Amino acid sequence: IRPMVEQVEGFLQAHAGGAEGTEVSAEIRRLLSACVWGNAVDLALFNNAEMAARRAEAELGGNKASSLIGHAADHTVLDAKVVANDMGAAADYLQGRLRHYGAGGAGPAVVDVVMDNMGVECAADLLLGLVLTSLGPLKVRYHTKPVPYYVSDVMPQDIERMLARWEADEATVSSAKRFRAALASGSIEVHTHPFWVHPSEYRDMPASVAGRYFFEKRFGCGSPLGKAIGKHETSGSGTIDEFVEPKSDLVIFKGDVNFRRLCGDRHWTPEMFFLKSRVAGAEPKDASVDRKSV
């Protein structure tokens, strides 16, 4: 984890002026890849001896752990194995949001990260948020579990433990200070809700989660922000429109359990973008990049 943090800290020091340049999109892209492949170092799958063996392989230039622990390997080698890979588009989209809102737009963009595992994956998730909030007026909200659904699931206190580890290391203390400053300013938030450990699909997500963070359904005769998704007859002779107003610019769902809860363990045709089917209750602002499952 230390090399990952050091590399991000070096990047932030070199790009203190803002979010311009192709190297910014490339760094966001690399961190998205680290967020994906960090899932391979699931602490629920390995004991301490097995983790030590993986570290030894990484130091010798061995398997995929080298890109996760060292954050230095070419991510394109691993990412070629991803079946549906939109990380490049997501990185460009995020950089565009930083530019747009940084230039005096309607307000800060919001990115939601529904977290999965503690350890390397959690570190990558936190570093992604740190980079995004450091480059522009953007808010990142982390959604954690109140108790572990599986043994390695991230809880709010785990993020505190991660920051404490960074603060105890001279090589990573600067990034810990940056992250705590973002927490204090409100540009980074940590949330939790019992729904994240409920045995239910995401189309059953309660309004206390969906309406607060992701989208809100409204009824009326027009909305400047929302997208009409249906019509309902009124008690008279007319109809009233049902709108969805998104509250997040990008939602990142981490891990296979979140993916399965999005899909509902149903049979989808391979080419179908299932989120357009309203399985999650609403389409995002820009369906091509707004809501991703990674």
Side-chain angles (χ1 to χ4, degrees):
I1 291 176
R2 178 194 285 176
M4 294 171 58
V5 180
E6 289 179 315
Q7 182 164 343
V8 166
E9 180 62 30
F11 171 84
L12 291 176
Q13 291 179 8
H15 294 83
E20 297 298 324
T22 57
E23 63 274 14
V24 172
S25 179
E27 181 66 7
I28 296 172
R29 170 72 177 76
R30 179 160 52 182
L31 283 169
L32 287 171
S33 180
C35 290
V36 171
W37 290 103
N39 186 259
V41 194
D42 187 337
L43 298 181
L45 302 178
F46 309 102
N47 58 35
N48 288 339
E50 290 169 332
M51 286 299 296
R54 287 214 163 194
R55 290 191 181 94
E57 290 178 7
E59 292 171 359
L60 294 173
N63 66 4
K64 63 185 178 182
S66 61
S67 69
L68 305 174
I69 298 171
H71 194 50
D74 186 356
H75 61 76
T76 58
V77 176
L78 291 174
D79 293 348
K81 304 178 184 295
V82 178
V83 175
N85 188 342
D86 294 316
M87 286 184 279
D92 292 341
Y93 171 76
L94 285 169
Q95 186 179 18
R97 297 280 69 74
L98 289 167
R99 289 196 189 111
H100 174 71
Y101 291 105
V110 179
V111 175
D112 287 277
V113 182
V114 182
M115 302 186 77
D116 190 16
N117 294 308
M118 181 55 175
V120 174
E121 182 176 5
C122 176
D125 295 341
L126 299 186
L127 290 171
L128 174 65
L130 184 60
V131 166
L132 293 176
T133 56
S134 297
L135 293 176
L138 186 147
K139 178 187 289 289
V140 175
R141 298 184 295 212
Y142 293 101
H143 300 275
T144 64
K145 296 180 175 66
V147 295
Y149 198 88
Y150 290 103
V151 65
S152 59
D153 286 335
V154 177
M155 299 180 290
Q157 55 266 42
D158 291 320
I159 293 179
E160 178 60 35
R161 292 189 184 103
M162 180 72 72
L163 294 176
R165 291 288 297 272
W166 293 3
E167 288 168 332
D169 189 332
E170 184 177 345
T172 57
V173 65
S174 295
S175 293
K177 291 180 179 178
R178 287 181 188 268
F179 200 95
R180 291 209 184 275
L183 285 170
S185 70
S187 58
I188 290 179
E189 297 177 351
V190 178
H191 298 266
T192 190
H193 193 280
F195 173 74
W196 300 122
V197 293
H198 285 184
S200 53
E201 298 173 9
Y202 283 165
R203 62 176 176 176
D204 300 319
M205 186 180 291
S208 57
V209 178
R212 180 179 179 185
Y213 302 112
F214 305 139
F215 61 87
E216 186 173 10
K217 289 186 178 181
R218 296 183 181 273
F219 295 90
C221 297
S223 171
L225 297 176
K227 181 173 182 177
I229 62 171
K231 290 183 178 291
H232 300 266
E233 293 185 2
T234 64
S235 56
S237 58
T239 60
I240 188 170
D241 294 321
E242 180 181 359
F243 288 88
V244 166
E245 294 186 3
K247 292 193 170 183
S248 180
D249 292 87
L250 178 72
V251 182
I252 301 175
F253 290 94
K254 302 298 301 296
D256 58 307
V257 173
N258 281 321
F259 181 79
R260 291 174 62 188
R261 294 177 75 182
L262 278 169
C263 293
D265 275 344
R266 288 166 170 80
H267 293 290
W268 301 90
T269 57
E271 70 278 5
M272 183 178 186
F273 181 28
F274 65 87
L275 290 179
K276 285 188 177 181
S277 70
R278 291 176 53 197
V279 68
E283 292 185 35
K285 296 177 187 176
D286 179 352
S288 63
V289 293
D290 242 64
R291 230 167 246 173
K292 300 292 176 189
S293 175
V294 295

